[in-house]
Amino acid sequence: MTDPRVFVAGPVSWNRLVELEELPEARPHKASARRHWETIGGTSAGKALNLARLGARVTLRTAVGDDDHGRRIVDTLAAAGVEVIAEIADGPTEQHLNLMDSHGGRVSIYLEVPVLTAPRHDDRALAALADADAVVIDLAEHSRPLLAATSGLPVWCDLHDYDGSSAYHQDFLDAADYLFLNDDGVPDRADLAALLASAGCRVAVATLGADGAMAVADGVHHRVAAVPVERVVDTNGAGDAFFAGFLLAHLAGADVPAALTAAATSAAHCLGSPNLA
């Protein structure tokens, strides 16, 4: 499929990233940052930027505050070729403080989470959703209502650290035709494989960090190794790059093993970059 149209709904954020030699222990002490910087973040921004980089026409519906952080996010996305439908939230734009160590570990601290009570552009969002070749609905309260409009459309959901029982994730799990998560919530590989097999989706995928990824489709289990990276520059966005690589390979006609390989390659490119894409 040439120039696929992908609709994404979900969170964006403005992040302060702090790189440490080691993540801090849970005790009072002092630590020195190796470096720190500010940049765009959020899983839906990561997906939109990676999808656009890989050649998709992307529409992102999100929520930002009426503030400088929100405007910088929208400008960054637009400059990358993403069509942004930005609803103005009550209060500030979502903000995170991400602590990262030299081994790829990360702790993300949510500083601000936007509340959206009166969306103004959902007619525009619904039109873009209905016209898309793939619909991505990411975890956020302001994207949850759009799940009701996805009937009959191919829905992709990323549940991140889903543990197999969280009620917060259930609506997204129920809607998903293509399910993605990581192994943070279910670290045991056998339990994770069983969760994928029982999800009831067309394809269910779990990323395993340096161990690659696993997937279940039509009752068949698949594995892919991580693509070696000479130097990990930044782990932020790698999961979204994996997701984007799989989605576009799938739309191009790839089978599950080939889509997993494309996804692992996309993630490796992101790991070697200081950016989300």
Side-chain angles (χ1 to χ4, degrees):
M1 181 182 294
T2 58
D3 298 327
R5 298 182 301 274
V6 182
F7 175 84
V8 181
V12 299
S13 64
W14 191 254
N15 291 357
R16 176 177 290 277
L17 283 66
V18 179
E19 183 180 298
L20 305 165
E21 185 63 35
E22 302 285 347
L23 291 178
E25 299 177 22
R27 60 176 179 82
H29 68 287
K30 181 176 72 174
S32 296
R34 297 172 64 178
R35 60 184 181 127
H36 60 90
W37 67 101
E38 294 185 6
T39 188
I40 187 174
T43 189
S44 295
K47 290 183 177 67
L49 289 169
N50 278 283
L51 287 163
R53 179 184 66 82
L54 293 171
R57 289 181 288 165
V58 185
T59 298
L60 170 60
R61 187 271 199 179
T62 191
V64 297
D66 184 14
D67 53 30
D68 183 58
H69 291 147
R71 287 182 282 274
R72 292 171 75 179
I73 289 169
V74 171
D75 289 346
T76 300
L77 290 163
V82 177
E83 179 188 11
V84 184
I85 301 174
E87 302 286 4
I88 302 303
D90 303 326
T93 295
E94 184 166 323
Q95 297 173 50
H96 304 167
L97 170 63
N98 288 355
L99 306 179
M100 305 179 299
D101 66 19
S102 57
H103 315 294
R106 182 182 67 176
V107 174
S108 188
I109 302 169
Y110 282 56
L111 305 177
E112 301 283 356
V113 177
V115 176
L116 182 62
T117 56
R120 297 175 298 167
H121 305 299
D122 268 359
D123 54 345
R124 182 179 162 203
L126 291 172
L129 183 155
D131 194 42
D133 297 305
V135 174
V136 180
I137 309 293
D138 275 327
L139 291 169
E141 284 304 319
H142 56 76
S143 60
R144 189 187 298 271
L146 293 176
L147 291 170
T150 61
S151 178
L153 297 170
V155 179
W156 297 64
C157 291
D158 182 355
L159 302 193
H160 296 279
D161 59 351
Y162 178 57
D163 62 2
S165 62
S166 167
Y168 180 84
H169 298 73
Q170 192 63 48
D171 290 343
F172 298 87
L173 176 61
D174 291 343
D177 297 295
Y178 301 90
L179 174 69
F180 285 71
L181 63 152
N182 59 45
D183 63 347
D184 291 347
V186 186
D188 182 85
R189 295 289 187 262
D191 291 343
L192 187 58
L195 173 60
L196 297 181
S198 65
C201 305
R202 296 183 194 174
V203 181
V205 181
T207 55
L208 312 173
D211 290 334
M214 65 169 68
V216 177
D218 297 323
V220 179
H221 292 249
H222 304 271
R223 283 292 299 266
V224 67
V227 173
V229 178
E230 182 176 348
R231 185 172 76 91
V232 174
V233 176
D234 183 3
T235 60
N236 290 284
D240 299 319
F242 182 99
F243 182 104
F246 189 103
L247 189 157
L248 291 185
H250 170 81
L251 291 182
D255 61 12
V256 171
L260 285 171
T261 298
T265 301
S266 180
H269 285 309
C270 188
L271 287 169
S273 164
N275 303 309
L276 281 180

